[in-house]
Amino acid sequence: MTTPPGAEGNPSNEPGEPRSGRWSDLGRPPLNATALRRALVRDGGFWTDVELVSRTGSTNTDLVALAADGKAEEGAVLVAEEQDAGRGRLERQWTAPARSGLFFSVLLKPAEIPVERWGWLPLLAGVATATALSRTAGVDTALKWPNDLLLTVGGEERKVGGILAERAGNDGVVIGIGINVTLREDELPVPTATSLALAGSPVTDRDPLLRTVLRSLERWYVDWRAAGGDPAASRLQETYAAGCATLGRTVRAELPGDRSLVGEAVAVDGDGRLVLATEDGVQQPIGAGDIVHLRAE
């Protein structure tokens, strides 16, 4: 997913030429940096800057570096037309053809929120993205704990996007979001992936999709901060649970230290952890791990 020092693209206001040429695929037009900035950066708004590069390794890595150098403030958005070293959880690679998806990172600095509540930020980003895609792209988007975006295609759940949160110094968090928009079947990195186009979305124009996701993220983040980071008071906890495809399922949690745990996912607790009810009657909260949805026997 689910960043410029080190950016290999052109960090100017307009993107440079991707390796394959700016208009080599007419079905995948470039994003319009000027229009995005005009729509999102406004007086009294949350987003402070929108930068677009044609190609980079990882928008998360770049934005973390910019924050560390004091060159990015809260509300900064970095978008890439292509990433060749994008990362998901557990350092998994996230790569896709140029302009085939949305690959972007945002800088958040919730300094007044207790750090123990910052774990809700990737879940908040998931809620914001899923609700935006469901509304704008016309597809029913579900959440897999903790950071995957799912669509059902041909009766099977497939991953359409992912989210990655990384600390940026002592006071910031960079949230990276990746969404497959126009990937074709032969371009999918794994058989369990999909794209908005393959799911039959009537909207694959990335400009309005990106604007809608960022506006949704702004609303959820501002409300969460206004509630002091309280996931119940901000309705984040209940909204996440309502859209979470993991809850009510039997899952296997692959845990640090080569351990695993099987149980029914029964809740997301106040700290954003997934609670598993195991066969021995114990309710075990999981704060970090890779979750596998198991098929019913």
Side-chain angles (χ1 to χ4, degrees):
M1 6 190 122
T2 223
T3 81
E8 296 177 24
N10 178 357
S12 62
N13 287 347
E14 297 294 343
E17 295 284 327
R19 288 175 296 173
S20 54
R22 193 166 188 253
W23 290 96
S24 61
D25 188 337
L26 295 180
R28 292 171 174 166
L31 292 165
N32 187 322
T34 301
L36 287 169
R37 196 173 294 114
R38 186 183 303 120
L40 293 165
V41 180
R42 63 192 189 281
D43 290 341
F46 176 73
W47 303 114
T48 54
D49 188 28
V50 178
E51 290 296 327
L52 176 64
V53 297
S54 61
R55 182 184 175 217
T56 190
S58 162
T59 56
N60 257 36
T61 299
D62 291 349
L63 194 50
V64 167
L66 286 169
D69 291 341
K71 296 179 180 179
E73 58 183 300
E74 184 175 44
V77 182
L78 179 61
V79 189
E81 293 283 33
E82 182 181 11
Q83 286 190 134
D84 56 20
R87 291 170 292 115
R89 279 177 47 79
L90 307 178
E91 296 301 315
R92 294 190 180 101
Q93 293 298 303
W94 178 290
T95 60
R99 306 185 303 280
S100 66
L102 291 172
F103 320 111
F104 62 99
S105 298
V106 302
L107 177 60
L108 309 177
K109 292 189 174 184
E112 76 282 11
I113 306 300
V115 173
E116 56 268 23
R117 289 181 169 172
W118 289 19
W120 274 100
L121 287 172
L123 306 186
L124 182 153
V127 166
T129 304
T131 54
L133 292 180
S134 295
R135 181 172 62 251
T136 303
V139 290
D140 187 9
T141 310
L143 298 161
K144 178 186 174 187
W145 189 92
N147 69 332
D148 288 349
L149 300 161
L150 303 179
L151 296 178
T152 299
V153 179
E156 294 188 356
E157 287 179 338
R158 294 190 178 190
K159 180 176 176 178
V160 73
I163 295 162
L164 179 67
E166 297 185 71
R167 287 293 294 267
N170 295 323
D171 63 346
V173 177
V174 168
I175 304 288
I177 299 175
I179 303 166
N180 294 332
V181 179
T182 60
L183 261 72
R184 299 178 279 269
E185 196 76 44
D186 62 348
E187 295 174 325
L188 296 176
V190 293
T192 53
T194 192
S195 67
L196 295 178
L198 290 172
S201 172
V203 179
T204 56
D205 185 339
R206 294 179 303 142
D207 278 87
L209 289 171
L210 180 56
R211 290 197 301 269
T212 303
V213 170
L214 286 171
R215 285 168 177 160
S216 180
L217 181 54
E218 175 182 358
R219 286 194 298 270
W220 278 101
Y221 180 63
V222 168
D223 288 349
W224 177 77
R225 286 181 67 167
D230 187 325
S234 62
R235 299 188 61 202
L236 176 57
Q237 187 173 6
E238 66 175 281
T239 305
Y240 185 90
C244 182
T246 303
L247 293 180
R249 305 273 285 270
T250 299
V251 305
R252 183 176 67 250
E254 303 289 352
L255 305 174
D258 293 325
R259 298 179 299 118
S260 65
L261 181 68
V262 174
E264 180 186 355
V266 295
V268 175
D269 71 12
D271 294 321
R273 299 176 300 178
L274 184 67
V275 180
L276 299 188
T278 63
E279 288 185 347
D280 56 8
V282 174
Q283 293 204 349
Q284 178 68 48
I286 303 296
D290 203 25
I291 300 299
V292 179
H293 288 176
L294 301 178
R295 294 181 181 274
E297 297 294 336

